[in-house]
Amino acid sequence: MTKKDSSIDPKSFLIVGAVITLLLVLVIIVGMFWTPYSPTAMKYGRFQSPSWNHIFGTDNFGRDIFSRIVKGAGNTLVIALSTVIIGAAGGILIGSLTGYFGGAVDVVLMRVNDALTAFPSFLLALLIVSLVGPGSKYSVVLALGLVFIPSFARVTRSEFASLRSRNFVTGARLTGAGHARIIFVYLLPNTGRVLLPALTIGFNNAVLAEASMSFLGIGVTPPDSSLGYMLSEAQSMVSIAPWYALSTGLSIVLLVFGVGLIGEGLQARAKEVD
Amino acid sequence: MLVINDLHVRFNGREREAVGGISLSINDGEIVGLVGESGSGKTVTAMSIAGLLPRRQCTYSGDILLDGKDLLHAQRSELRKLHGKEIGVVFQEPMSSMDPLMKIGHQIGEVLRIHTDLSMSQIREKALEAMASVELKNPEQIYDCYPHELSGGMLQRCMIAAAIVIEPSLLLLDEPTTALDVTIQAQILELLKKLNARLGISMLLISHNLNVVRKLCSRIAVMKRGLIVEIGDTESVFLNPQHDYTKALIKAIPTRERRFG
Amino acid sequence: MNEVLLYVLKRLLILVLSMILVSFMTFGAFSLISGDPARTILGTEATEAQVRSLRHELGLDRPFMARYLSWLLGFFSGNLGVSFSYRQPVWELVGSKLMLSLSMSLLSFLMIILVAIPLGVFSYKATGKTMIWLRTIFNQLGMAIPPFFTGIVFSWIFGVLFRLFTPGDFKGFSVSFWPSFMHLFFGAVCLSIPRIAMTIRMMRSTVISEMNKAYVRTAISRGNDRRSVLSRHVLKNSLVSVISFLGQTLAELVCAGIVVEQVLGIPGVGRFLVTSILHRDYPVVQTIVVILTFWVVFASFIADIINQVLDPRLRRGQT
C-alpha cells in the first residue's frame, strides 16, 4: 500500500521546499551586501511595532528587526553549512573507508560509532563546547561538526558495504580500477540517494542546535549575532515587543521547514527508486 | 458447492485482464487443481475466492458462489463472516504468513475466537485436536511455541491446522508445498489427502507444479494468460492432453518424476 | 520467562560496565581540561603554598586512578565533590534539580506516547492527496519548531496574556503547586511537539510496512476486520520496531530539556549545567554529564528489556 503514497509526485515536495529555501537564501545573500536599514544603527525609535517601514518592527535599541534577522540568519546559515560540511566530510571519509575495506578496523570503528550515535548529540556538543571554550562561533562549528560525523559515517558505511559486492563494482575491479577510483567514481556517486536526504536532515539539526546553543549563551555571542542569540534577546522583551520573538522564531521555523520539505521529497524519491 | 461463473478481473491501469472470464466448479469433497505459470491468473482467482482481492484497485465481474452465497459482490462485513469459517486458506510461505509475535496455538485458535462463542479452554482444546489431526507430534508443547521456533514443514502443518480447526467447507491451498523440501512436500500432500478423506473438505489446490497436482487432485484446470485452456480428470489430462500448453507443461516435468510420480 | 530474567541480568551487567566506562571517560576528559582547579578557585593572587595546601585538601595531588576511584565511590555514596563556584557539596546542588528535570522529561514522554502512537496508527489510512499534503506539512512544521521558540510563545501567551503562571518565578511544588506544575506542563509540551511529529512519522511508516506483510493477509483470511488486524497483530509488531526509537527519545528528552528549562526559568539540572559550563565549574559539569549519561544508558536498558519481553525472536540464543 506504500504505492498509494506515490499518488503525489515526490517532486512536488521537493519543488515547494526548494522554492521556500531559495527565497530565504536569496534574501540572506542580498542581506550580506545590502539591508533596508543598518542592522546596527540605533536610530529608528525603540519598540516600534511592525509597519510598512519596519515590517518586523524595531527592538529595544531602536534597531530594524528585519535587517537584523537577515544578518543573523546569514550567520546561522554559514554556521550550519560549515557544520554540515565538517560532519559530512569526516563521516563520508570514515564511512567509505570502513565500508569499503571492512575488516577489524571497520568492526571497532562502527562499535564506537554506535555508542556515539546512541548518545544525545546535543549533550555531546555542549561538552565539546565547554571543553573548547564557550561563547564563540568557531567552537560551535567545531563541536557540532564533530558531533555529526558518526551519523554520516554510519549512513555512508552501510551504503558502501551493500554496494561494494555489486556486479558493477566487481566489473570495475576486473578492468583494473584501483581502490581510489572505485570509491570515488563508482561508489560515492551511488550513495547520493541516501546521503542527500541525510545532508538536509543534518543541516536542519545544525540550524536547531546552533540556535539552541546561542540561545543558551554558549554559542554565538555579540558582536556576532545569530537567530538563536536574537531569540534569547527577544525573550526578555516578549511582553513589550512580541513581534521580535515571533519574527525571529518564525524565520528559524521557515528555514527548517523548507529544507525539511526538500529532504522529504528526496527521501520519497529514493524510496521510489528502490 | 463452489461455482465460479465467467469471472473477470482487471487491475487498474493494466491493459490485459488478469482473469479473462473463467468458469469452474468444485463438488463436495472434491480436490481440484489449478495449474499455470506465474502470471497466469491462478493466484488472482484464488484471491477472488478468498475475498482478498484489493477491490478498489481493480474491476471485476462474474459470479463466485459458495453453497449459493455470493463471494464476489458481497459486502466486506458479510464476507468476513465467511472468511475462515467457510473458507480456510493455506499460503505459500508458512514463516512469513504467521504473526511472529503470537503463539502458534493462539494463531490456530484465532478462527474459533472470531467465529464462535467457545470459551478460552474450549478453543485451546479444539486447537490441540486440530494440531493432532495434522499429525504434529507434541501439540501441547508446540501450542506455546512461536513461529521462529519451528521448521517450515511443522509450520505448514500448523497453518493447515489453523485452516481446518473450524472445519470449513472449502480449503484453498495456494502453493502450499512450494517453499518446502521435497520429502516434506510429500508428507504434506499425504496429510492433505488424508484430511480430505476423513473430513470431506473440498479443496482447491493452486500450483505451478503439475506433479504436486497430480498426486492430490481428481480434476485439474490449466490456466494460461487468464483463461482456462484445458480442464478434465487428472489422468485423462495427463495421458491425453489436448492443448499445446498443457503438453508443454507435462513435457517440462523431469522424466523420472513423471514415471514414478 | 526464565530466559527474560537471564537476559535482564546479563543486560544489567552490561549496564553497569558501560556506566563505569562512561564515567571513566568523562572523568578523564575533565581531569585533562580542568587544569588546576585549586588555582582556579583561589585566583591568580594566591601564593604557591596556598595552592598546594588546597590541592592537598581537595585530594588533587594523588594519582589519577586513585582520584577516579574515590570519585566513583563518592558518586555512588552521594558524595560528589564540592562545587568550585558555590563551595557547596555537588549533590546538595544537583539532587532536587535532577528530580525536576526528570519529571519534566517523563511528563513529555507520556505526552509523546499518548498522542503520537494513536495518531501514527490511524494516520496510515490518510492516503488522499490533500491528506498527504496536510500530513507532510504538519509533520515538517512540527519538526521545525524549536522548543525554545514554543517556550517563548507559551510564556508570552499563557504567562503574560492569560497570567496562568509567571515564567521564571518557579517557587517549587511545596510552596505553590499549580504555578510550578504549569512550568513543567508547558515545558513538557514544548519538548513534545517536534518529537510527536517524529514519532508519528516513524509509527506511521512502521504500521504501513507491517500492513503489507504476509501475516496480515493470513489474519484477514481468518475473518479479522481491519481493526482487529491492527489491534491483535500489527500494533504489537509495529511497537517492537518503535521501542528502541522511543528509548532514544526518552534519553534525549532530558538533554533537549536544557533549553526549555532556560526559557521557562525552571531550575532544573540542564539550566544548572549551562551556568556551570559558563562558570567553568568542572565538578558540577562533570557530575551532571555523568548523571545524564547514566540516564541515556538506563533508557536504552529499559528499551532493550521491553523489546525482549515483546519479541520472542530476540530470546533465541540468549544464554
Side-chain angles (χ1 to χ4, degrees):
Chain A
M1 265 152 241
T2 14
K3 294 232 174 75
K4 268 197 213 159
D5 261 23
S6 52
S7 64
I8 282 194
D9 191 351
K11 257 191 218 134
S12 41
F13 295 137
L14 210 64
I15 291 170
V16 175
V19 167
I20 296 176
T21 311
L22 282 178
L23 277 178
L24 290 178
V25 170
L26 197 71
V27 172
I28 288 172
I29 290 178
V30 169
M32 287 178 177
F33 307 99
W34 176 84
T35 45
Y37 299 91
S38 159
T40 45
M42 306 180 185
K43 57 183 181 194
Y44 308 112
R46 305 177 66 217
F47 296 130
Q48 300 275 329
S49 52
S51 63
W52 282 116
N53 285 333
H54 299 279
I55 54 168
F56 291 162
T58 61
D59 67 3
N60 54 329
F61 294 118
R63 293 174 293 191
D64 177 53
I65 292 176
F66 177 75
S67 305
R68 293 199 63 207
I69 285 181
V70 172
K71 271 276 190 254
N75 266 330
T76 297
L77 188 72
V78 170
I79 291 176
L81 282 178
S82 339
T83 303
V84 172
I85 288 171
I86 294 180
I92 290 173
L93 187 71
I94 294 176
S96 55
L97 289 180
T98 58
Y100 180 73
F101 290 108
V105 182
D106 175 46
V107 175
V108 173
L109 265 179
M110 281 305 127
R111 269 291 151 84
V112 175
N113 217 352
D114 282 349
L116 282 176
T117 34
F119 210 82
S121 47
F122 189 61
L123 184 63
L124 218 52
L126 273 187
L127 256 183
I128 299 177
V129 165
S130 85
L131 297 182
V132 185
S136 131
K137 59 182 169 191
Y138 300 107
S139 7
V140 173
V141 169
L142 180 71
L144 290 177
L146 287 178
V147 164
F148 286 164
I149 288 178
S151 62
F152 280 110
R154 183 153 72 171
V155 174
T156 317
R157 194 206 84 98
S158 68
E159 273 301 289
F160 263 73
S162 76
L163 285 174
R164 77 170 163 208
S165 50
R166 294 273 182 84
N167 280 339
F168 72 97
V169 179
T170 321
R173 202 168 289 140
L174 287 177
T175 60
H179 293 310
R181 190 176 157 76
I182 291 177
I183 288 179
F184 287 107
V185 179
Y186 291 92
L187 290 173
L188 209 50
N190 279 298
T191 53
R193 191 177 57 90
V194 289
L195 273 179
L196 285 178
L199 282 173
T200 62
I201 294 170
F203 176 84
N204 275 349
N205 285 340
V207 170
L208 292 174
E210 182 278 321
S212 304
M213 285 187 165
S214 303
F215 182 81
L216 291 174
I218 47 183
V220 175
T221 42
D224 283 327
S225 154
S226 79
L227 293 178
Y229 173 74
M230 287 174 67
L231 257 182
S232 73
E233 250 184 33
Q235 189 198 356
S236 57
M237 47 195 102
V238 71
S239 50
I240 316 163
W243 54 83
Y244 187 8
L246 284 176
S247 53
T248 315
L250 288 175
S251 311
I252 299 181
V253 173
L254 197 62
L255 181 62
V256 174
F257 176 71
V259 178
L261 270 185
I262 296 181
E264 180 84 25
L266 288 173
Q267 259 172 337
R269 206 184 58 175
K271 244 183 236 160
E272 256 188 5
V273 175
D274 277 349
Chain B
M1 200 209 74
L2 180 83
V3 180
I4 301 175
N5 203 356
D6 195 28
L7 175 69
H8 290 260
V9 180
R10 190 171 60 82
F11 288 100
N12 296 346
R14 295 281 176 82
E15 272 294 302
R16 193 167 68 82
E17 287 183 321
V19 176
I22 65 166
S23 300
L24 180 71
S25 65
I26 302 175
N27 300 323
D28 277 333
E30 193 184 17
I31 308 184
V32 174
L34 196 56
V35 201
E37 52 195 9
S38 49
S40 62
K42 58 187 198 306
T43 299
V44 177
T45 309
M47 293 297 128
S48 318
I49 299 170
L52 295 172
L53 215 56
R55 289 187 172 191
R56 280 193 210 137
Q57 292 162 36
C58 61
T59 48
Y60 49 91
S61 65
D63 287 308
I64 302 179
L65 302 171
L66 182 73
D67 293 327
K69 278 168 283 191
D70 183 358
L71 293 182
L72 194 58
H73 305 285
Q75 291 287 315
R76 282 245 179 238
S77 52
E78 286 298 309
L79 270 182
R80 240 174 257 127
K81 291 180 195 150
L82 299 173
H83 286 165
K85 194 176 177 198
E86 300 293 334
I87 307 172
V89 190
V90 176
F91 294 100
Q92 181 173 5
E93 294 265 354
M95 188 62 90
S96 57
S97 299
M98 286 216 164
D99 186 337
L101 303 185
M102 197 186 244
K103 285 180 179 171
I104 297 281
H106 293 169
Q107 302 200 40
I108 293 175
E110 191 177 15
V111 177
L112 296 169
R113 191 188 54 76
I114 295 168
H115 296 285
T116 67
D117 299 324
L118 297 177
S119 70
M120 290 304 279
S121 59
Q122 287 169 310
I123 289 178
R124 188 188 154 87
E125 210 49 48
K126 283 251 185 192
L128 287 171
E129 267 172 40
M131 291 165 84
S133 75
V134 295
E135 297 164 5
L136 281 163
K137 292 222 173 60
N138 325 310
E140 294 272 350
Q141 203 186 330
I142 293 176
Y143 189 92
D144 288 318
C145 284
Y146 290 94
H148 72 275
E149 295 168 314
L150 301 182
S151 68
M154 284 162 96
L155 275 181
Q156 199 57 300
R157 283 173 194 271
C158 294
M159 283 295 285
I160 295 171
I164 62 162
V165 67
I166 202 169
E167 299 189 2
S169 39
L170 177 70
L171 195 56
L172 214 57
L173 303 155
D174 185 9
E175 305 264 9
T177 59
T178 309
L180 304 175
D181 292 346
V182 181
T183 42
I184 307 206
Q185 262 189 26
Q187 291 171 15
I188 295 282
L189 291 177
E190 200 53 43
L191 170 71
L192 288 170
K193 216 170 209 171
K194 276 190 209 164
L195 288 174
N196 172 256
R198 192 148 46 95
L199 303 172
I201 302 180
S202 319
M203 299 183 186
L204 179 63
L205 172 70
I206 287 150
S207 181
H208 67 279
N209 186 335
L210 267 183
N211 223 22
V212 166
V213 173
R214 187 181 191 182
K215 278 182 193 153
L216 203 59
C217 305
S218 51
R219 222 146 46 86
I220 65 174
V222 181
M223 278 190 84
K224 190 192 180 193
R225 293 174 66 85
L227 293 170
I228 292 181
V229 293
E230 181 153 6
I231 187 163
D233 288 343
T234 307
E235 284 317 301
S236 57
V237 169
F238 261 83
L239 297 175
N240 188 18
Q242 299 299 310
H243 197 274
D244 287 346
Y245 181 64
T246 319
K247 286 178 194 161
L249 277 182
I250 294 173
K251 231 182 196 162
I253 305 176
T255 11
R256 262 174 61 83
E257 279 191 37
R258 208 192 308 170
R259 210 177 302 142
F260 299 107
Chain C
M1 274 332 255
N2 224 353
E3 291 157 319
V4 177
L5 198 72
L6 263 171
Y7 178 78
V8 172
L9 286 175
K10 193 175 141 193
R11 192 63 184 70
L12 214 57
L13 189 72
I14 298 177
L15 176 81
V16 171
L17 283 178
S18 43
M19 282 183 172
I20 291 177
L21 186 71
V22 157
S23 64
F24 183 76
M25 276 162 46
T26 323
F27 187 84
F30 277 95
S31 305
L32 275 180
I33 52 120
S34 56
D36 190 348
R39 172 73 64 191
T40 319
I41 296 173
L42 293 172
T44 41
E45 282 150 41
T47 64
E48 195 56 35
Q50 278 175 312
V51 173
R52 211 175 301 135
S53 84
L54 183 68
R55 216 181 273 157
H56 184 73
E57 194 187 307
L58 294 174
L60 292 170
D61 49 356
R62 290 180 298 155
F64 176 76
M65 277 314 283
R67 274 187 291 140
Y68 169 67
L69 284 178
S70 71
W71 175 79
L72 190 67
L73 286 176
F75 191 93
F76 287 108
S77 54
N79 173 17
L80 300 164
V82 179
S83 153
F84 290 168
S85 36
Y86 296 85
R87 295 292 194 113
Q88 262 183 50
V90 173
W91 179 246
E92 265 176 38
L93 293 165
V94 171
S96 60
K97 295 186 168 70
L98 181 66
M99 290 308 133
L100 208 55
S101 299
L102 290 188
S103 328
M104 184 169 78
S105 306
L106 287 176
L107 189 62
S108 162
F109 189 62
L110 208 67
M111 289 175 185
I112 294 172
I113 290 190
L114 290 181
V115 178
I117 291 189
L119 278 181
V121 171
F122 291 117
S123 74
Y124 91 94
K125 273 194 275 190
T127 44
K129 241 177 193 173
T130 2
M131 282 311 291
I132 296 177
W133 269 110
L134 275 179
R135 201 184 67 219
T136 311
I137 288 173
F138 270 103
N139 231 296
Q140 292 296 337
L141 263 185
M143 289 195 271
I145 297 178
F148 51 88
F149 177 50
T150 9
I152 295 176
V153 174
F154 283 172
S155 60
W156 175 49
I157 295 178
F158 298 106
V160 177
L161 299 182
F162 290 106
R163 301 193 180 284
L164 287 180
F165 69 119
T166 319
D169 188 24
F170 187 90
K171 293 204 177 74
F173 284 92
S174 48
V175 181
S176 56
F177 181 82
W178 281 113
S180 305
F181 179 76
M182 283 297 174
H183 276 86
L184 287 199
F185 175 80
F186 285 113
V189 174
C190 301
L191 271 181
S192 309
I193 292 172
R195 272 149 233 277
I196 283 176
M198 283 180 223
T199 313
I200 288 180
R201 204 181 133 90
M202 176 91 193
M203 194 67 203
R204 190 190 121 80
S205 67
T206 314
V207 167
I208 286 176
S209 82
E210 288 295 326
M211 274 307 225
N212 284 324
K213 290 202 174 155
Y215 72 83
V216 169
R217 195 178 54 176
T218 314
I220 294 172
S221 82
R222 288 186 187 141
N224 279 297
D225 54 18
R226 208 166 263 276
R227 204 169 175 191
S228 60
V229 168
L230 263 178
S231 63
R232 283 184 63 86
H233 299 280
V234 171
L235 199 58
K236 199 174 171 191
N237 276 287
S238 309
L239 278 182
V240 165
S241 2
V242 175
I243 291 282
S244 343
F245 173 79
L246 287 177
Q248 188 144 13
T249 305
L250 181 60
E252 281 170 358
L253 277 173
V254 184
C255 304
I258 295 173
V259 194
V260 174
E261 287 170 12
Q262 183 78 12
V263 180
L264 295 180
I266 300 169
V269 77
R271 197 175 180 214
F272 194 42
L273 176 65
V274 173
T275 33
S276 304
I277 288 178
L278 287 171
H279 293 153
R280 297 181 188 251
D281 191 345
Y282 290 118
V284 175
V285 175
Q286 181 179 324
T287 306
I288 295 178
V289 166
V290 171
I291 291 176
L292 291 186
T293 322
F294 281 7
W295 176 253
V296 172
V297 180
F298 179 71
S300 84
F301 167 74
I302 296 288
D304 279 0
I305 298 289
I306 293 177
N307 255 344
Q308 189 74 17
V309 173
L310 281 182
D311 191 346
R313 283 167 296 184
L314 296 176
R315 282 176 225 153
R316 193 191 211 175
Q318 301 283 354
T319 42

